[in-house]
Structures are given as C-alpha cells and as structure tokens.
C-alpha cells in the first residue's frame, strides 16, 4: 500500500436510520478530499454515494457502505464504494437501470444516473439475496 | 414548524437559503413551510438560494421540481439561484435537467428577474 492510499480514510458505515445518509455522504467527501479529488470529482462521487445509500435505505431496508482507496494497474488512485443491503433484491435489473423507472420516492435516475457518475459500476443482486453495488471513481 | 432553514421576507418576496447538509426530512419540511407561507402571506416571488448546497441528488432534484410546480399552481414566481458549477456538471451527468425550474446565477440576479431594481449606480454623491 502506498502512502497516499493510507491517507484516504476507509471504513464501514451503517445505513440504518435517515441520519446515516448524511454521515455516509460526509465519509465519502472526506475520502475524496484526502485522495486529492477535484471539486467536480468530489461532487460526483458524493452524489453517487447519496443515490446508492438512499436506495439501500429505502428499497433495501438498510445495509452498509464501505469506503476504501483503490489503485488501478496504471497506478492511478481512486475511491471504491460498496453499498450492500439485505433487502428483496432487484428482479429486473435492466428495468432498474433505465432512467425514469422508480418504485420509490426518487426520480428513477438513481441507478442509471449513478453509473454515469462513476468509472466502474458493478451490480450484484437477485430476488431474496439483497443487493450489492460496487463503484469506483478514479482521480482525474 | 421549525425546519432549520431560514426564510426571509423582503416585501412580497420570500428568500430561503438551503444549507450544505440538506437531509430528506428537512427538504420536505422546507417545502411544507414555504408552501404555507406563499399561500398565507400573498407572496409574489420566491427565491431559493442553493449556493451552499454541495450536492443535488435525485431526491433533492425532485423536491426542487415539486416546489416549482407548487409555485406555479399558487401563482408565484419561483427561482432557484446560485447552483455551484460542480453541482450543475453532476446533475447533467445524472441526467437531471430540473425541468420546469427557473434558475438564476445568484440571488441578486434572481431578485432582478422578480423586478427588484438596484438604485441607480450613476447617481452622484453629494459632498
């Protein structure tokens, strides 16, 4: 692990009560600042985190968010977020990724929009198994 | 109701400033308070200053679009002012255009859009 990775605060954060949504945003902001992200990159990764933790809270009945430093083969530093819930899972992934589709209180841009805010996006879900979304944004 | 969001009244205009840490409950309470005050106080224009808001996600975007719609139904001009450039860049990438929401670069420009005139700057000082 390189020294700049050690300066990025990592950890697991609960997503159980509404106050946890703000705390999760703060944690991602702190990690993005420590990683040297620009204001625009900070805003994009924090917005992505906000969408994902709200999904976990509203649709997944709560879960956890993990923040950590990431390093690609070219040596570029980034932030990896993993948001996991133990909810009902997503039955139709294509539909969930489509802009304008929502079963909750949002605008239906949560997942599809989040994918555009990050460089890497992985969705692991199945009915009854919960949902885990892992995203990475590299420092520009 | 105390939402923690200050709403100032300037004549028949309301000016509300959202804080950097806007949680969902506060956003909804702000909508309620603003709507009630528009109806009860004969408000002609509303400015929502979002210059301190560090992110707008799809929930906050929906709240702002709802507020704009409520303002139209109540016959009030509502302007969202002061969006940070990084927030605007992020919103467009998210695919959200805040349809139906009138925006201004800052609160002062929003005041001008609502017909608030600055005193003539060329007026000479009398010494």
């Amino acid at each position: 692990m390189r020294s700049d990775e050690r300066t990025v605060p990592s950890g697991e954060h609960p997503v159980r009560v509404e106050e946890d949504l703000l705390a999760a945003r703060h944690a991602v902001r702190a990690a993005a600042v420590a990683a040297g992200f620009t204001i625009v990159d900070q805003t994009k990764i924090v917005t992505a985190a906000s969408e994902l933790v709200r999904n976990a809270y509203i649709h997944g009945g709560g879960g956890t968010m993990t923040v950590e430093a990431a390093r690609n083969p070219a040596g570029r530093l980034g932030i990896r977020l993993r948001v996991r819930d133990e909810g009902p899972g997503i039955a139709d992934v294509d539909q969930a990724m489509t802009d304008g589709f929502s079963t909750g209180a949002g605008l239906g841009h949560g997942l599809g929009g989040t994918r555009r805010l990050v460089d890497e996006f992985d969705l692991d879900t199945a009915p009854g198994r919960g949902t885990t979304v892992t995203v990475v944004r590299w420092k520009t | 109701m105390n939402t923690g969001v200050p709403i100032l009244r300037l004549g028949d205009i309301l000016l509300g400033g959202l804080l950097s840490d806007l949680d969902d409950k506060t956003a909804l309470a702000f909508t309620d308070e603003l709507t009630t005050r528009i109806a009860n106080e004969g408000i002609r224009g509303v400015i929502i200053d979002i210059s301190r808001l560090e992110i707008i996600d799809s929930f906050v975007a929906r709240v702002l679009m709802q507020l704009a719609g409520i303002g139209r139904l109540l016959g009030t001009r509502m302007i969202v002012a002061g969006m940070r450039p990084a927030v605007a860049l992020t919103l467009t990438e998210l695919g959200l255009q805040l349809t139906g929401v009138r925006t201004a670069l800052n609160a002062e420009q929003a005041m001008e859009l609502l017909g608030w005139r600055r005193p003539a700057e060329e007026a000479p000082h009398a010494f």
Side-chain angles (χ1 to χ4, degrees):
Chain A
M1 189 186 281
R2 302 189 198 180
S3 62
D4 55 355
E5 285 172 33
R6 278 193 292 272
T7 65
V8 176
S10 61
E12 190 171 290
H13 305 267
V15 182
R16 297 286 168 203
V17 294
E18 202 184 299
E19 288 68 31
D20 291 339
L21 305 186
L22 272 188
R25 265 151 55 173
H26 287 171
V28 175
R29 172 83 62 181
V33 169
F37 275 35
T38 65
I39 289 287
V40 172
D41 285 342
Q42 287 173 35
T43 305
K44 286 179 178 174
I45 189 77
V46 176
T47 304
S50 185
E51 299 288 346
L52 295 177
V53 297
R54 184 180 287 104
N55 276 350
Y57 174 69
I58 291 175
H59 301 288
T64 55
M65 178 192 75
T66 308
V67 188
E68 62 186 14
R71 176 79 63 182
N72 76 356
R76 204 173 195 186
L77 183 65
I79 302 286
R80 178 179 292 111
L81 306 178
R82 182 170 290 124
V83 180
R84 195 190 321 253
D85 69 57
E86 301 90 39
I90 301 171
D92 188 335
V93 171
D94 287 342
Q95 192 181 44
M97 294 296 295
T98 303
D99 278 3
F101 179 80
S102 175
T103 57
L107 275 170
H109 286 251
L111 278 180
T114 301
R115 180 163 60 172
R116 288 192 291 274
L117 293 179
V118 296
D119 298 308
E120 292 177 21
F121 183 97
D122 180 71
L123 176 62
D124 179 15
T125 186
R129 194 157 60 77
T131 301
T132 300
V133 184
T134 307
V135 301
V136 179
R137 186 166 178 101
W138 303 110
K139 188 177 164 181
T140 53
Chain B
M1 191 191 319
N2 181 17
T3 63
V5 178
I7 302 177
L8 306 177
R9 183 173 170 159
L10 306 164
D12 52 6
I13 292 174
L14 290 182
L15 175 58
L18 296 181
L19 305 173
S20 58
D21 271 347
L22 184 66
D23 62 51
D24 296 6
K25 271 188 207 136
T26 304
L28 294 176
F30 175 70
T31 302
D32 283 350
E33 183 178 350
L34 205 55
T35 305
T36 305
R37 289 192 61 178
I38 290 168
N40 293 346
E41 299 178 26
I43 295 301
R44 184 172 58 87
V46 175
I47 299 169
I48 303 171
D49 180 1
I50 59 165
S51 58
R52 278 176 290 182
L53 211 52
E54 291 181 340
I55 67 154
I56 294 181
D57 58 20
S58 57
F59 180 84
V60 175
R62 189 182 69 122
V63 167
L64 291 175
M65 285 160 65
Q66 276 180 342
L67 267 170
I70 291 166
R72 262 192 302 282
L73 289 174
L74 294 176
T76 299
R77 296 184 70 187
M78 190 171 294
I79 301 175
V80 171
M83 185 183 296
R84 296 182 179 200
V87 172
L89 282 164
T90 302
L91 268 182
T92 53
E93 211 150 295
L94 256 179
L96 299 172
Q97 294 165 357
L98 296 190
T99 312
V101 180
R102 196 190 314 252
T103 53
L105 191 58
N106 52 46
E108 189 177 17
Q109 197 186 78
M111 291 295 281
E112 285 172 12
L113 286 172
L114 291 174
W116 197 279
R117 297 267 171 268
R118 260 184 291 189
E121 282 170 18
E122 65 272 19
H125 287 284
F127 285 109

